[in-house]
């Protein structure tokens, strides 16, 4: 481990670290055969800075207008590929989930990814009132979907600390439809951080729940159903 601020980051270029992690993931699936996936997320920030880890860094895919720093993507997915490949051999059908997050938001430009990797794309559709932001984040999802059969959606669906309503159910519906339409698995996994002010956020969360079962539902009809009830 290497310390950087409050973060302890594993040295993921170390073959012994990779071996230990593969063993732990295999043990998890052996003990929990009902589980479809095992999470391999990075920390909120901070990576090993040894020369071997830094040597793994390389370019992420280029998206015009996108200024997201993803200079750790090659490093992270080089490591994750090793884990996913080993798990695919010992536990076929199991998925390794992770985050497109913390300088790994964009896929590596020149690195093929193991098919049993599933990144959760961390962003919020609340910023889609800006058409450039909408275009960029749809392009980010599209680049991941070119490389993998499945991706997850990680949404910051907050409301509790805000002075104004943050309701963007039409944008959420559009994004979920895009992911399902362009995913080879025709499915979407979702995780939401929802620190809610329920008087305003209740309908937003209820509508999202319905959209996760069927993204093609009419958002306005669902909203009227909630209000009438």
């Amino acid at each position: 481990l290497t310390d950087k601020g409050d973060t302890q980051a594993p040295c993921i270029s170390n073959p012994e670290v990779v071996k230990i992690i593969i063993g732990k993931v295999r043990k998890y699936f052996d003990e929990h055969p009902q589980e479809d996936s095992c999470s391999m997320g990075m920390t909120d920030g901070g990576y090993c800075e040894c020369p071997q880890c830094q040597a793994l860094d390389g370019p992420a895919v280029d998206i015009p207008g996108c200024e997201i720093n993803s200079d750790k993507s090659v490093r992270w997915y080089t490591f994750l590929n090793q884990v996913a490949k080993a798990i695919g051999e010992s536990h076929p059908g199991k998925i390794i989930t992770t985050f497109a997050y913390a300088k790994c938001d964009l896929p590596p430009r020149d690195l093929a990814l193991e098919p049993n990797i599933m990144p959760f794309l961390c962003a919020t559709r609340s910023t889609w009132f800006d058409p450039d932001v909408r275009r960029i984040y749809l392009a980010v999802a599209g680049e991941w979907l070119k490389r993998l059969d499945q991706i997850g959606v990680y949404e910051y669906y907050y409301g509790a600390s805000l002075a104004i309503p943050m309701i963007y159910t039409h944008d959420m519906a559009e994004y979920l439809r895009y992911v399902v339409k362009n995913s080879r698995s025709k499915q979407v996994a979702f995780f939401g951080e929802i620190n809610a002010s329920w008087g305003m956020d209740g309908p937003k969360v209820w509508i999202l729940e319905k959209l996760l079962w069927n993204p093609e539902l009419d958002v306005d009809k669902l909203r009227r159903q909630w209000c009438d009830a």
Side-chain angles (χ1 to χ4, degrees):
L1 295 173
T2 181
D3 288 313
K4 188 174 184 181
D6 296 328
T7 300
Q8 284 192 322
C11 179
I12 56 178
S13 65
N14 187 327
E16 288 300 310
V17 170
V18 177
K19 182 179 177 181
I20 290 169
I21 291 174
I22 290 171
K24 287 182 176 291
V25 176
R26 283 175 168 162
K27 182 180 179 182
Y28 174 79
F29 282 129
D30 287 343
E31 294 178 350
H32 304 87
Q34 75 281 4
E35 297 295 337
D36 296 323
S37 65
C38 182
S39 175
M40 294 287 296
M42 68 286 285
T43 67
D44 276 349
Y47 291 88
C48 178
E49 299 299 337
C50 77
Q52 291 77 18
C53 280
Q54 292 189 50
L56 293 174
D57 292 336
V61 67
D62 181 56
I63 295 175
C66 180
E67 299 180 355
I68 300 171
N69 181 357
S70 296
D71 63 357
K72 297 296 187 290
S73 279
V74 177
R75 174 195 304 204
W76 183 252
Y77 284 95
T78 297
F79 153 70
L80 210 63
N81 269 347
Q82 298 173 75
V83 179
K85 186 175 189 298
I87 297 306
E89 292 169 352
S90 62
H91 296 77
K94 301 298 186 181
I95 292 174
I96 301 299
T97 63
T98 189
F99 297 121
Y101 175 70
K103 299 186 178 181
C104 298
D105 302 70
L106 303 178
R109 190 185 68 189
D110 303 317
L111 180 69
L113 302 178
E114 290 294 320
N116 57 330
I117 291 175
M118 183 180 192
F120 278 70
L121 277 58
C122 300
T124 176
R125 270 36 66 172
S126 66
T127 56
W128 276 26
F129 57 84
D130 184 329
D132 284 337
V133 172
R134 174 185 172 278
R135 174 188 59 80
I136 288 170
Y137 278 102
L138 285 174
V140 170
E143 291 294 339
W144 282 107
L145 289 166
K146 289 177 185 176
R147 293 161 172 80
L148 293 165
D149 291 345
Q150 63 281 310
I151 64 171
V153 176
Y154 194 110
E155 171 67 37
Y156 303 92
Y157 223 38
Y158 293 136
S161 61
L162 303 179
I164 59 173
M166 190 168 76
I167 299 175
Y168 47 98
T169 43
H170 282 282
D171 294 322
M172 278 304 311
E174 179 185 353
Y175 189 69
L176 294 173
R177 289 167 188 155
Y178 178 87
V179 172
V180 171
K181 179 181 178 181
N182 292 281
S183 169
R184 287 186 286 272
S185 70
K186 297 303 177 187
Q187 296 179 344
V188 58
F190 180 88
F191 186 94
E193 292 188 27
I194 304 176
N195 300 325
S197 174
W198 287 115
M200 191 61 67
D201 295 324
K204 177 176 74 175
V205 175
W206 182 81
I207 291 170
L208 173 60
E209 179 195 40
K210 303 304 179 186
L211 292 171
L212 289 173
W213 286 104
N214 180 4
E216 297 299 329
L217 292 175
D218 186 316
V219 170
D220 292 326
K221 184 176 180 180
L222 290 171
R223 178 173 49 79
R224 287 193 298 270
Q225 181 181 347
W226 168 277
C227 293
D228 290 345

